[in-house]
Each structure stands twice: as structure tokens, then as C-alpha cells.
């Protein structure tokens, strides 16, 4: 299947597919004319890649996870679970950092609030 067909079947842009290929996440054979020719199984792989990106994983981490996800359960070594646990911890840390920043901004906003919720006109200082 050509790149446009894969894009349509997976709901992913051709630009993203080219990026995935550049990162080694997907592979295509080349026709005699130089066109990319993807196996039909790439649709499922691309959808999985989209889910992993949506979960906040980097392309490097996704590259490490894909072989684990595609391996039969009896061949899995625990690497996937370890990587996912690391990513959960990374995101939990990020969430704590964001919550701390929000608390700081909300405190600052309270400290500088105008009396009775007055709003200054645009262009005035303050």
C-alpha cells in the first residue's frame, strides 16, 4: 500500500508517516519507481504508535516498546513493563511540577488582585 493509502487507513497524515519512517518506527519496501510500499499490517502498527504518542511517550521510547508489544506474551521479558513504569513515574513527576506551578501562580494572582474584582482598562499599567 502506498503512503497515501496508509494515511487514509490509519487516520494519520503522510507527514507523520514519513516522520515515523525516519525514526525507524515503520518500514516500507521501495518499488522499482522509488515509491514507498507498506505492508497492510502497518495500519495496526501506526494506530499503536499514535496511542503511544498520545500517552506522552517519545519516539525513542516507542521504538523500544514496539518489539515488546508485538512479541507473543510468552516471549516478553519484562522490559515493556519496566519502560511503562518509568514513563508513568515521569508523567507523575511532571504532573506534580505543574500542580506546584499552578499553586504558585494562583497565590500570586490572589496577592495582586484588585479590590472588588475591578479590572483595569487595556493599556494601563498594573
Amino acid at each position: 500500500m502506498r503512503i497515501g493509502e496508509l494515511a487514509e487507513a490509519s487516520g494519520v497524515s503522510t507527514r507523520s508517516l514519513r516522520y515515523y519512517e525516519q525514526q525507524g518506527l515503520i518500514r516500507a519496501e521501495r518499488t522499482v519507481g522509488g515509491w514507498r510500499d507498506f505492508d497492510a499490517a502497518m495500519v495496526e502498527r501506526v494506530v499503536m504508535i499514535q496511542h503511544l504518542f498520545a500517552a506522552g511517550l517519545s519516539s525513542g521510547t516507542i521504538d523500544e516498546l514496539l518489539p515488546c508489544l508485538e512479541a507473543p506474551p510468552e516471549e516478553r521479558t519484562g522490559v515493556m513493563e519496566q519502560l511503562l513504569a518509568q514513563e508513568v513515574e515521569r508523567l507523575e513527576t511532571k504532573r506534580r511540577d505543574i500542580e506546584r506551578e499552578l499553586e504558585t501562580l494562583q497565590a500570586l494572582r490572589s496577592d495582586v488582585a484588585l479590590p472588588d474584582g475591578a479590572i483595569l482598562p487595556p493599556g494601563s499599567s498594573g
Side-chain angles (χ1 to χ4, degrees):
M1 101 178 26
R2 298 269 171 89
I3 194 166
E5 295 168 322
L6 179 57
E8 186 175 328
S10 63
V12 175
S13 71
T14 56
R15 182 177 181 198
S16 291
L17 293 174
R18 286 186 195 98
Y19 173 76
Y20 297 169
E21 186 179 22
Q22 177 189 17
Q23 297 298 307
L25 303 176
I26 61 174
R27 289 168 229 49
E29 299 294 323
R30 293 287 180 157
T31 66
V32 176
W35 296 93
R36 289 174 179 88
D37 186 26
F38 292 96
D39 185 90
M42 270 310 128
V43 174
E44 188 176 319
R45 186 178 178 102
V46 167
V47 170
M48 175 61 69
I49 290 167
Q50 282 293 104
H51 287 301
L52 295 170
F53 273 123
L57 303 181
S58 69
S59 58
T61 300
I62 292 171
D63 190 39
E64 291 180 67
L65 281 176
L66 284 173
C68 301
L69 292 167
E70 293 170 343
E74 62 275 5
E75 293 179 16
R76 294 181 183 165
T77 62
V79 171
M80 178 175 59
E81 291 79 5
Q82 186 178 34
L83 285 170
L84 291 174
Q86 290 171 355
E87 288 302 311
V88 167
E89 180 57 34
R90 181 186 65 80
L91 290 172
E92 290 287 347
T93 299
K94 188 175 181 178
R95 178 172 48 189
R96 285 190 298 272
D97 291 345
I98 290 170
E99 287 172 356
R100 187 181 63 250
E101 290 169 3
L102 280 169
E103 288 172 7
T104 301
L105 283 173
Q106 289 168 343
L108 178 60
R109 188 173 168 201
S110 294
D111 290 347
V112 299
L114 295 173
D116 298 326
I119 298 175
L120 291 175
S124 23
S125 61

